[in-house]
Amino acid sequence: MDYRRTYLRDLMQAQPGGHVSAYGWVKTRRDSKGVSFVALNDGSCMADFQVVVDAGTFDGADWDAVTTGACVRFDGELVASPGAGQAVELKATGMELYGGADASTYPLQKKGATMEFLREIAHLRVRGNTFGAVNRVRNRASFAVHKFFQERGFQWINTPVITASDCEGAGAMFAVTTLLEAPEPGQEAKFKLTSQDPADDFFGKPAYLTVSGQLNVETLAMGLTNVYTFGPTFRAENSHSTRHLAEFWMIEPEMAFCDLEGDMNLAEEFVREVIKDVMDHCEEDLAFFNQRIDKELLTTLNHVVNSPFERMTYTEAVAALEKSGQTWQFPVAWGSDLQSEHERWLTEVHVGRPVILTDYPKEIKAFYMRANEDGKTVRAMDVLVPRIGELIGGSQREERFDVLEQRIKEAGLDPEPYWWYMDLRKYGSAPHSGFGLGFERLIMYLTGMQNIRDVIPFHRAPGQAAF
RNA sequence: UGCCGCAUAGCUCAGCAGGUAGAGCAGCUGACUGUUAAUCAGCGGGUCGUAGGUUCGAGUCCUACUGCGGCAGCCA
């Protein structure tokens, strides 16, 4: 057996004629008196491949074991199909059973199951329509991300997963340590530190899993010009929501010689181009999502591809919210952060498509965002999209040494650990901008899937790290 | 972490005057000359999340716990 193989996707598009082999997992089997039909799927595409078995061709235990979930290879002639659902089918003359799947206990059925149940069998759910499609879209979107940046001269760089600089600031972090005492064999694992002093730890100081490549990626942009990261990110927030994960994949472009305007242009172009690419290459999967998951999906995606994002300042947004006539659960006031209900109204009702909000009050944004001349706002931007909320958060960075130092102090932080970050402003500083985009949120947007836990193969969330 | 909701067969659910359980699908058996989540007939399948409490009697009411889900916060 060799990795080179004809995928079922290719067999389905091939011309009739010739002896072929079809490898896959059985989706369904239908028997009638003279003939049996086996629907095979290998994950290469949405549609199942039809294998036709004339009565009497096979018998015995292996043939009996060809039930939903079994893994099997059929050999035979590729013929034109008289049936309605497919152009060609395999008229089987040989078969090999690789692994049966006891039909009385195999949990994946041909009929629909809830997302909650499928989450409990995450090791098997990829064999179903929905999660096969999710992963194909995820794969194509990953490729489209790299394609988009590479075609524009951005260099893919990798920022550390472990960070010991304790200066990331935002978000609860997972500690990384070797100070835990190994449990005695056979004993229940209890955490016990071999030392209380971080100086004794592996890195000689506290270390954590990264919550953002932000600070590191800026250093690479100050030398490589246009760069991006695409890697795992970790947040130890105890969040129970449909759009948060403890482990997720984030895309962070960073551009030298670029202001907030250019940052917004990139964000908009990025979202549009990735959507276009996936629409071009995952038509069948998107049609499935449109039919089964979100009836408005294709309408929404087409709309996004064909119309510019609305842009407004935070101040304009607050004014719109105040004039909306809506009654808000949380009051709207200039200076306080926008609540979910506000963001949703802006993007879903007020604008009806993605909207980019800019120039937020400096008090509610990170210290590294560039201060505006008004002394009150910073050059931040959030891209809000219907149903998901915040898809992208970015900013023009503060490139002026003195202003940045002042902002760090205002934030109540000690500038000292940021010495290398400050050095960027000391030696060859340049205007620069970038943003962070949650890859899983993009996949939610692309597929219509409602829970972020269902757009990653094995989700990590509070209390949930099975598989 | 706060608020709300749910927990009955492998899955999806019904059972809502408190009187010790029911359907569809899946599974099994059989029928059917080509199906497309096939169809038709029959069969088996549940200590009703756990622990207490009220009651003659609890799937049903009360309490706690556990698990899951949704919303909010945190953000991407």
Side-chain angles (χ1 to χ4, degrees):
Chain A
M1 291 193 280
D2 194 84
Y3 76 90
R4 294 179 192 81
R5 100 158 60 272
T6 304
Y7 297 106
L8 297 184
R9 176 189 60 208
D10 301 318
L11 284 185
M12 277 183 256
Q13 286 164 3
Q15 292 301 312
H19 191 85
V20 298
S21 293
Y23 296 75
W25 289 266
V26 176
K27 193 78 79 62
T28 64
R29 169 174 170 174
R30 298 178 291 275
D31 293 311
S32 63
K33 191 171 188 179
V35 63
S36 293
F37 300 94
V38 178
L40 267 194
N41 194 286
D42 67 354
S44 62
C45 62
M46 185 85 231
D48 298 324
F49 180 69
Q50 175 152 291
V51 176
V52 183
V53 180
D54 285 333
T57 307
F58 308 122
D59 52 20
D62 280 5
W63 173 235
D64 291 342
V66 175
T67 58
T68 301
C71 184
V72 68
R73 185 194 77 236
F74 284 103
D75 310 308
E77 192 187 348
L78 194 66
V79 299
S81 175
Q86 58 285 314
V88 293
E89 60 191 22
L90 179 68
K91 192 169 173 60
T93 51
M95 68 161 275
E96 180 172 355
L97 178 74
Y98 293 115
D102 184 349
S104 64
T105 58
Y106 185 65
L108 251 192
Q109 301 173 177
K110 37 189 163 182
K111 290 243 178 180
T114 59
M115 294 297 164
E116 290 77 17
F117 172 70
L118 292 170
R119 230 168 271 156
E120 294 169 14
I121 52 165
H123 58 308
L124 297 173
R125 67 179 177 173
V126 72
R127 299 185 195 179
N129 290 333
T130 305
F131 292 93
V134 164
N135 284 293
R136 280 187 298 274
V137 167
R138 199 183 155 100
N139 168 65
R140 184 66 213 188
S142 293
F143 186 76
V145 166
H146 286 294
K147 184 161 164 274
F148 175 86
F149 286 123
Q150 295 295 327
E151 283 174 350
R152 287 162 180 76
F154 283 65
Q155 303 190 49
W156 182 34
I157 53 101
N158 303 292
T159 50
V161 168
I162 297 173
T163 171
S165 50
D166 80 343
C167 55
E168 308 230 2
M173 301 164 92
F174 290 102
V176 174
T177 182
T178 54
L179 291 181
L180 287 181
E181 199 168 76
E184 295 290 319
Q187 295 289 318
E188 192 185 350
K190 295 272 189 192
F191 288 139
K192 194 172 163 189
L193 293 175
T194 55
S195 168
Q196 300 285 328
D197 188 354
D200 294 330
D201 207 347
F202 189 88
F203 296 104
K205 51 183 166 179
Y208 308 92
L209 294 181
T210 182
V211 295
S212 166
Q214 167 71 45
L215 303 188
N216 289 291
V217 79
E218 281 187 46
T219 71
L220 276 297
M222 294 295 102
L224 296 175
T225 304
N226 283 345
V227 299
Y228 68 104
T229 68
F230 185 1
T233 310
F234 308 86
R235 303 266 168 98
E237 307 287 350
N238 188 13
S239 48
H240 263 96
S241 88
T242 52
R243 56 192 186 284
H244 291 265
L245 289 170
E247 176 182 291
F248 64 100
W249 289 68
M250 187 151 68
I251 296 152
E252 295 173 287
E254 190 72 29
M255 298 157 285
F257 322 114
C258 182
D259 60 12
L260 192 68
E261 203 67 27
D263 204 25
M264 288 191 282
N265 292 341
L266 180 80
E268 187 169 339
E269 200 179 334
F270 173 83
V271 171
R272 186 171 294 132
E273 289 303 314
V274 171
I275 289 175
K276 268 204 278 215
D277 185 275
V278 171
M279 288 179 87
D280 285 346
H281 293 90
C282 301
E283 201 175 343
E284 195 181 27
D285 294 319
L286 294 188
F288 171 83
F289 289 121
N290 192 65
Q291 189 194 334
R292 296 286 187 88
I293 306 293
D294 176 3
K295 300 281 186 203
E296 298 296 312
L297 180 66
L298 291 177
T299 305
T300 302
L301 294 181
N302 273 309
H303 188 49
V304 168
V305 165
N306 293 313
S307 53
F309 293 9
E310 184 76 20
R311 297 182 187 192
M312 63 172 81
T313 65
Y314 167 89
T315 303
E316 289 165 348
V318 168
L321 288 162
E322 283 171 338
K323 280 190 298 189
S324 69
Q326 301 279 313
T327 47
W328 305 110
Q329 193 183 342
F330 297 92
V332 177
W334 198 99
S336 57
D337 216 348
L338 299 178
Q339 302 294 312
S340 269
E341 57 171 345
H342 306 143
E343 295 185 342
R344 288 189 56 178
W345 181 83
L346 284 167
T347 184
E348 291 174 7
V349 180
H350 186 55
V351 171
R353 63 176 187 280
V355 57
I356 309 181
L357 298 189
T358 62
D359 300 291
Y360 284 74
K362 64 178 180 181
E363 286 79 13
I364 59 173
K365 288 292 179 184
F367 68 83
Y368 53 73
M369 298 185 178
R370 193 179 197 281
N372 277 317
E373 303 309 313
D374 63 10
K376 296 187 294 188
T377 59
V378 292
R379 301 246 76 190
M381 67 137 180
D382 282 359
V383 179
L384 310 177
V385 301
R387 196 167 58 82
I388 313 288
E390 187 176 343
L391 179 65
I392 291 175
S395 67
Q396 182 173 339
R397 321 307 189 186
E398 183 53 75
E399 85 282 11
R400 298 163 296 187
F401 186 95
D402 295 343
V403 179
L404 181 63
E405 189 176 47
Q406 185 57 34
R407 288 276 288 142
I408 290 175
K409 287 175 179 166
E410 279 173 16
L413 299 168
D414 177 10
E416 195 284 324
Y418 297 95
W419 66 271
W420 55 272
Y421 188 69
M422 301 295 294
D423 263 9
L424 299 178
R425 280 72 182 169
K426 201 164 153 188
Y427 306 115
S429 189
H432 60 295
S433 302
F435 62 76
L437 177 145
F439 186 58
E440 282 74 19
R441 289 190 181 173
L442 182 63
I443 303 302
M444 288 174 78
Y445 200 53
L446 279 164
T447 58
M449 295 293 286
Q450 308 236 328
N451 194 315
I452 200 166
R453 295 168 185 186
D454 298 325
V455 296
I456 188 168
F458 303 106
H459 74 277
R460 297 290 178 260
Q464 310 211 9
F467 309 106

